[in-house]
Amino acid sequence: MVALKRRAAIMISGRGSNMAALVAAARSPAFPVSIDLVLSNRPDAAGLAAARCAGVRAEAIDHREFGQDRTAHESAIDATLRAAHIEIVCLAGYMRLLTPFLVQAWQGHMLNIHPSLLPSFPGLKTHARALRAGVKLHGCTVHIVTQEADAGPILAQAAVPVLPGDSADDLARRVLHQEHSIYPAAVAAFASGATGGLPAADACLANPLD
Ligand code: GRF
């Protein structure tokens, strides 16, 4: 019997290399998640074209069209996710802070990848900050999204060494390589319940938010 795949969306703002890693992993019949939608808040995000090339529906919901009304922007995102019967939302370089509206709407169903070993270095410019702090290990974290940015329950981490002479770009490259492995692995484990994430498949065939 072929197991039903969980329907996932990926939210991006830029190049989308983690998105591409998830799309590639999801091609395997054994991967328990299908990538059914890619959303960006920026119409010029390079990842949108890459997703379409890979045959994935990809749309921009431009935050600038909503002015200061962040909730209206997120309502449009939420409606698009629901209409696509999405069960899991993966943030992958989505560069806008979420309001309580979207976080609560997708509580327990939204994951993020962050380029540091949380709880160290939440926020931006993590690689430069790690170098300045003089840490010998750096890395990346997949976590469940909660209202506090980069602070939800941790699902997976990978560490890399900080080598003498590293620039922030060197470190970013080394970390990104690990991101591309741990995000698909963490999403698969989460979707299949191995991390205590989603409820049993039968309970989750419909949109979990209904
Ligand atoms: C990654 O480093 C990710 O950890 C962070 O934003 C970056 C996105 O890169 N949240 P990409 O768009 O997936 O290439």
Side-chain angles (χ1 to χ4, degrees):
M1 198 182 82
V2 179
L4 208 57
K5 291 191 175 216
R6 301 299 180 85
R7 293 175 65 80
I10 305 174
M11 288 172 58
I12 64 170
S13 296
R15 93 195 134 179
S17 71
N18 278 289
M19 175 278 297
L22 287 166
V23 166
R27 286 210 186 96
S28 160
F31 197 77
V33 168
S34 60
I35 307 301
D36 296 289
L37 178 64
V38 171
L39 288 181
S40 172
N41 64 308
R42 301 186 59 97
D44 59 350
L48 285 175
R52 289 183 193 124
C53 267
V56 178
R57 176 184 161 201
E59 290 178 16
I61 301 180
D62 189 346
H63 64 274
R64 290 167 303 189
E65 289 174 12
F66 297 83
Q68 300 299 310
D69 194 344
R70 298 174 82 90
T71 308
H73 177 237
E74 290 186 353
S75 294
I77 291 172
D78 184 53
T80 305
L81 293 170
R82 287 169 183 261
H85 302 288
I86 296 303
E87 295 177 85
I88 300 171
V89 179
C90 302
L91 304 183
Y94 185 72
M95 298 305 288
R96 286 185 64 86
L97 287 177
L98 299 179
T99 78
F101 168 75
L102 204 63
V103 173
Q104 279 164 23
W106 289 88
Q107 200 164 25
H109 295 262
M110 183 181 273
L111 312 184
N112 182 41
I113 185 149
H114 181 76
S116 78
L117 291 172
L118 292 173
S120 295
F121 311 118
L124 301 174
K125 300 195 183 305
T126 56
H127 310 303
R129 286 161 60 208
L131 286 176
R132 272 202 301 278
V135 295
K136 299 299 177 204
L137 280 178
H138 186 44
C140 48
T141 302
V142 179
H143 65 95
I144 295 177
V145 173
T146 54
Q147 194 55 56
E148 191 184 344
D150 305 325
I154 291 172
L155 297 177
Q157 291 186 305
V160 303
V162 180
L163 300 177
D166 266 349
S167 67
D169 285 348
D170 294 332
L171 204 45
R173 260 192 299 279
R174 198 173 304 127
V175 170
L176 192 64
H177 186 67
Q178 294 301 319
E179 292 184 36
H180 296 164
S181 299
I182 69 160
Y183 209 2
V187 168
F190 178 79
S192 52
T195 51
L198 287 172
D202 287 348
C204 212
L205 291 179
N207 190 320
L209 305 176
D210 288 342

